[in-house]
Amino acid sequence: MLSIVTFNDTEKWNEIVKNFKAYDVYYLSNYLKAFKVHGDGEPILFYYEDENIRAINAVMKRDVADDKRFHEKISPNTFYDLSTPYGYGGFLIEGNSTKGSMKALNEEYIALCKKEGIISEIVRFHPILKNSKNVSRMYEIDNLGKTITLSLSSLDEIWDNFNTNKKRWIKKAKKSGVEIYWGRSPELLSDFRRMYNRTMEKNNAKNYYFFNEEFYKSVLNDLPYNSLIFYALFENRIIGMVLITFANGQIHHHLSASDLDFLHLGPTNILMYEIACWGNENGFKTFHLGGGVGSKEDSLYKFKQGFNKNSDCIFSIGKKIFDLEKYNNLMKIRKKEDYFIETEVFFPSYRS
């Protein structure tokens, strides 16, 4: 009743996913491929079915031995854990979620993961789908903070939800001659990568966020119908870019970058507006912007909040330990390090 679909069976994987009414881009094998290229692990899809429910969970299976903290301390292909791919995910469940079916799903999930050598799982639940509610007995769930979602039901609603400051920036950009275009050529991806890396350097971002060329090629080639680059042009110069992903009525702000010499024109503001308008014209229902750094209501969150002062989405994470004995063994290895400080904030703690 519970099975694993491997990354090699892309056609079967996507057929299963697209049969779920609420599926999103984060569940497609083509999306996970880019993060396999990035080194985030091996993509797998869990699929469960009984007389009451169907359920899927798309994850990255990570070999703990690949973590630099465990180099030469444990053998490869021995200890694994699961993580939601970059973005959001968690179990999607359809049908009548009876206590019996949910109990059976949980028990089979634990048994299969232990059999596969999987020790723990960290989930970033989908703020729009609110799928953490269905699995509250399967995971330890923490609500971390708010994220911002734009409803795309009408152009008037999009504009009315912007605060006064956003409207002012958008009008200024238009008056200055900023124009918005979109595409997905190799040249655009190269331009995006250069601008994005400069933005990450300015923000002192972690190495993880500097994606290599192969990652961007995967986005271009493997998501031909689920990704676009919007870019702001001023006097024939690109001054801002946003990479979006989308599927099944939902658009997601994926990555963005700005030319530091043209921040006075606020290109990101007009880009977000035009993406929302494009979404409305093409029948999309929502445009999700995400939240602040570390789910805090920081300057980034407040910047995004300006696009919808009424957004009420909550970002939740789920924690699950499948094999407590092996989990504790990994913790013992880490505790031998003088600089290791155990924390309840980071999960799994042996990776902190």
Side-chain angles (χ1 to χ4, degrees):
M1 298 194 326
L2 178 65
S3 60
I4 290 176
V5 182
T6 66
F7 185 66
N8 295 326
D9 203 346
T10 296
E11 187 174 339
K12 179 181 179 181
W13 178 315
N14 287 336
E15 183 181 356
I16 291 172
V17 168
K18 290 180 180 181
N19 275 323
F20 279 72
K21 293 180 181 179
Y23 87 88
D24 197 4
V25 66
Y26 299 122
Y27 294 87
L28 298 175
S29 66
N30 314 60
Y31 177 86
L32 277 73
K33 183 177 180 180
F35 294 96
K36 173 181 169 62
V37 170
H38 189 51
D40 288 6
E42 186 70 20
I44 59 174
L45 179 73
F46 288 95
Y47 177 57
Y48 177 85
E49 186 172 4
D50 67 17
E51 66 275 12
N52 294 311
I53 64 170
R54 298 188 307 146
I56 52 171
N57 188 21
V59 298
M60 306 300 291
K61 181 182 177 182
R62 310 180 296 184
D63 190 335
V64 180
D66 291 337
D67 189 307
K68 63 183 179 180
R69 302 165 189 85
F70 290 99
H71 282 179
E72 299 182 354
K73 295 178 182 178
I74 61 175
S75 300
N77 306 314
T78 305
F79 301 94
Y80 299 95
D81 53 25
L82 304 178
S83 174
T84 300
Y86 183 97
Y88 307 101
F91 268 104
L92 285 186
I93 300 173
E94 286 187 352
N96 181 18
S97 301
T98 64
K99 288 183 179 180
S101 287
M102 293 305 298
K103 183 174 183 289
L105 168 60
N106 188 42
E107 289 175 350
E108 289 196 34
Y109 191 45
I110 292 171
L112 183 54
C113 285
K114 289 184 74 172
K115 180 182 176 182
E116 294 288 323
I118 298 167
I119 299 167
S120 67
E121 179 184 14
I122 179 70
V123 182
R124 291 185 296 276
F125 289 108
H126 200 300
I128 299 175
L129 300 181
K130 298 177 172 41
N131 55 330
S132 63
K133 295 180 179 179
N134 290 334
V135 291
S136 58
R137 295 188 178 184
M138 289 180 62
Y139 294 89
E140 176 189 337
I141 296 175
D142 295 329
N143 295 329
L144 295 189
K146 299 177 182 178
T147 64
I148 303 301
T149 302
L150 280 66
S151 170
L152 305 181
S153 59
S154 75
L155 296 178
D156 287 340
E157 182 182 20
I158 292 168
W159 184 253
D160 290 344
N161 281 335
F162 289 1
N163 67 19
T164 303
N165 192 41
K166 292 298 182 204
K167 294 176 181 178
R168 187 182 300 119
W169 275 107
I170 293 166
K171 290 176 181 178
K172 177 182 179 181
K174 286 185 175 182
K175 187 175 181 180
S176 300
V178 177
E179 298 177 315
I180 304 300
Y181 300 91
W182 58 88
R184 51 185 333 279
S185 67
E187 293 77 18
L188 267 180
L189 272 176
S190 294
D191 290 340
F192 181 87
R193 184 186 178 199
R194 285 193 295 271
M195 185 177 290
Y196 176 78
N197 284 347
R198 287 197 294 269
T199 302
M200 292 299 99
E201 289 167 0
K202 172 182 174 288
N203 294 334
N204 295 314
K206 296 178 180 179
N207 289 337
Y208 176 86
Y209 296 100
F210 290 85
F211 303 105
N212 63 26
E213 186 177 356
E214 293 303 311
F215 169 87
Y216 287 105
K217 285 182 179 178
S218 178
V219 173
L220 181 69
N221 297 327
D222 298 316
L223 291 169
Y225 309 113
N226 302 95
S227 65
L228 271 179
I229 294 177
F230 279 72
Y231 58 100
L233 206 63
F234 177 69
E235 296 180 349
N236 293 319
R237 178 171 173 174
I238 295 178
I239 63 170
M241 307 182 83
V242 176
L243 172 60
I244 63 170
T245 57
F246 47 85
N248 198 25
Q250 300 183 68
I251 302 174
H252 297 277
H253 173 281
H254 196 56
L255 303 170
S256 62
S258 299
D259 187 322
L260 303 181
D261 294 331
F262 291 89
L263 294 181
H264 62 283
L265 292 175
T268 304
N269 295 288
I270 189 172
L271 278 165
M272 294 297 196
Y273 174 60
E274 293 294 344
I275 291 169
C277 293
W278 174 88
N280 167 266
E281 294 290 341
N282 286 277
F284 288 90
K285 298 176 181 178
T286 58
F287 178 22
H288 188 243
L289 308 186
V293 177
S295 301
K296 298 177 181 178
E297 294 190 19
D298 56 5
S299 58
L300 177 61
Y301 171 81
K302 291 176 181 177
F303 172 81
K304 295 176 180 179
Q305 188 182 36
F307 294 102
N308 186 2
K309 52 186 178 291
N310 300 312
S311 180
D312 60 354
C313 287
I314 300 295
F315 170 52
S316 304
I317 63 167
K319 306 172 186 177
K320 192 173 185 68
I321 297 176
F322 300 102
D323 194 320
L324 184 58
E325 182 180 354
K326 291 181 178 179
Y327 187 99
N328 289 336
N329 286 340
L330 293 178
M331 288 297 295
K332 287 178 183 177
I333 294 173
R334 291 301 312 280
K335 287 177 179 179
K336 291 179 181 178
E337 303 164 355
D338 292 336
Y339 58 85
F340 177 70
I341 300 175
E342 185 175 355
T343 171
E344 294 183 0
V345 176
F346 195 93
F347 186 87
S349 294
Y350 54 76
R351 284 186 180 267
S352 65

